[in-house]
Amino acid sequence: MSTTLRDPAPTTEPAAAAESPHARRFGLPIATCLVMGNVIGGGIFLLPASVAPFGTISLVAFGVLTAGAIALALVFGRLAERHPQTGGPYVYARAAFGDFAGFLAAWSYWITAWVSNAALAVAAVGYLTVLFPAAGAHKWSMCLAALAVQWLPALANLAGTRYVGAVQVIATVLKFAPLLLVAVGGLFFFDPANLGPFRATDQSAAGAVSAAAAILLFSYLGVESATVSAGEVRDPARNVGRATILGTAGAAVVYLLGTLSVFGLVAHEKLVSSTAPFTDAVNAMFGGTWGGTVVACAAVISMLGALNGWTLLSAQTPYAAAKDGLFPKVFETKKRGVPVVGVVVTVALASALTVYNYTLGAEGVFESLVLITTFTATVPYLLATAAQIHFLLSGQRERVHPGRLARDGVLAALAFGFSMWLVAGSGYAAVYQGVLFLFAGVLCYAVMSARKTRATA
């Protein structure tokens, strides 16, 4: 079994897919929108309330997390220059460490994607209840709404990449209106009395920052979006890295200002129990409920856009692994530029997880799903950053820019340490559940590896 992966040409995807009238390669603007749309998905609209119980120390966690996310984005940008093909972390891990590491990256990323989709759908329901109060009347009406929110973007994906790109641009533009309104306009209405205590739990300062960051990581999932879909990006060696860095930096500015404004607009005791914090923030700015209703509409559109992008990403990684014989061959099925089997299987799994979590009760569903993704997301992040360290230290000159060796080494080390810190902060329950998800993939790898060995014997 081969343990290395040669650098592919930038045009690794089948030409037939690009010839379809429903398929279209993404340029730099759409690739950047894909990153920003997936990073600024639905998490930002609910996370201020999720971390409010920790106190304003969570703003410190956001700052640390932002620095780590930018370091990750820079590392992914460097890796994408040398591996400009669909698959992202899977491709980098397999190139450096062989099939098993590549499979673990693909499996973990796939889990992260569909669990994130379930979490995004739950977050969207919080804002849907502002527009349609009946949707929040019972946990099962909320569950049905969450399922509808997942399947609508899936249908857009099945229509083709041309429509995925169009939806992504529209959703990204529409989501920025309420975010900028709160992030910038909210500073003029800022009331320090609303901030509440700096540390609202019994944890140490370091423990509170780590715990808050574990939840906040969900808000930065997606920094690798352009690398995962590199096969659908024009001139990927040039555009993927740029889109990754531009998208992450833009999202970071909006996140930090938006969260700070919400903390200063909504009283701490109200924010802790809020299901739509940005709606509450706009209502506090202008009075009444009309502004909050507009924000709720934009938030739902934003989350649908994020689900649109994440649904595509969740199908791309198993597609890349299936082409290498590490995922079932059926995941290779591609129509209109979209891996259709991956889309359907992913949304079905996310739907099942949504139903399961609602059977346990409506309270805390979002947070429990988010913490699972915190652990599973760090596995491909750790493997990708370790791959960059491997390339830097192993003397593989074709994968390393000599003039940037020291700087790239520092960035890779920071990104690796950052990912390890997130694992530590995610908590025992999240690590326990995440490990179970991860180890379930080992059996799948054993079967696929055996088939691959038998086929090449």
Side-chain angles (χ1 to χ4, degrees), residues 300-326:
V300 171
I301 292 171
S302 171
M303 293 179 200
L304 286 172
L307 281 163
N308 177 66
W310 270 108
T311 300
L312 176 64
L313 294 188
S314 63
Q316 294 286 22
T317 297
Y319 165 76
K323 289 182 66 179
D324 294 324
L326 298 178

Side-chain angles (χ1 to χ4, degrees), residues 83-312:
H83 301 273
Q85 73 208 86
T86 295
Y90 158 74
V91 173
Y92 315 143
R94 183 168 180 259
F97 308 121
D99 284 352
F100 186 59
F103 173 83
L104 288 180
W107 182 264
S108 297
Y109 192 81
W110 186 48
I111 292 171
T112 300
W114 56 263
V115 175
S116 295
N117 284 358
L120 276 172
V122 171
V125 171
Y127 283 89
L128 273 175
T129 57
V130 175
L131 305 174
F132 307 102
H138 190 272
K139 70 176 183 180
W140 289 116
S141 61
M142 296 171 70
C143 181
L144 288 174
L147 293 176
V149 167
Q150 291 175 50
W151 280 94
L152 286 174
L155 294 176
N157 270 262
L158 293 175
T161 55
R162 177 177 183 176
Y163 303 100
V164 173
V167 171
Q168 206 62 35
V169 170
I170 293 170
T172 301
V173 171
L174 289 177
K175 81 175 60 177
F176 266 91
L179 287 173
L180 290 177
L181 175 65
V182 174
V184 179
L187 297 177
F188 294 97
F189 298 85
F190 192 91
D191 183 357
N194 289 328
L195 292 176
F198 178 69
R199 200 172 70 209
T201 67
D202 296 332
Q203 294 171 288
S204 66
V209 168
S210 295
I215 293 177
L216 289 170
L217 172 65
F218 182 78
S219 63
Y220 276 114
L221 293 182
V223 297
E224 70 295 326
S225 299
T227 70
V228 175
S229 293
E232 278 63 55
V233 178
R234 288 195 297 270
D235 192 7
R238 180 172 181 267
N239 287 331
V240 167
R242 292 184 175 188
T244 300
I245 295 166
L246 288 173
T248 304
V253 172
V254 175
Y255 270 165
L256 289 172
L257 290 178
T259 304
L260 176 62
S261 292
V262 171
F263 271 51
L265 287 167
V266 183
H268 180 260
E269 59 273 12
K270 181 179 180 181
L271 184 59
V272 168
S273 59
S274 175
T275 59
F278 272 76
T279 290
D280 293 336
V282 173
N283 287 340
M285 290 168 64
F286 302 111
T289 59
W290 66 269
T293 300
V294 171
V295 170
C297 289
V300 171
I301 292 171
S302 171
M303 293 179 200
L304 286 172
L307 281 163
N308 177 66
W310 270 108
T311 300
L312 176 64

Side-chain angles (χ1 to χ4, degrees), residues 350-448:
S351 298
L353 184 61
T354 300
V355 172
Y356 171 75
N357 276 276
Y358 272 109
T359 60
L360 303 179
E363 294 296 323
V365 173
F366 179 77
E367 287 78 6
S368 64
L369 291 173
V370 162
L371 286 173
I372 294 173
T373 66
T374 299
F375 174 78
T376 57
T378 55
V379 174
Y381 289 173
L382 284 167
L383 288 170
T385 52
Q388 174 71 336
I389 293 171
H390 170 78
F391 296 145
L392 292 170
L393 299 179
S394 61
Q396 299 184 47
R397 295 186 178 276
E398 74 280 2
R399 288 192 173 97
V400 177
H401 192 294
R404 297 197 298 243
L405 181 62
R407 184 177 63 183
D408 286 354
V410 171
L411 281 173
L414 286 174
F416 187 88
F418 167 72
S419 299
M420 288 293 292
W421 173 60
L422 290 172
V423 173
S426 60
Y428 293 110
V431 172
Y432 170 74
Q433 294 177 71
V435 167
L436 289 179
F437 275 119
L438 186 63
F439 284 178
V442 175
L443 178 61
C444 179
Y445 175 79
V447 174
M448 298 310 303

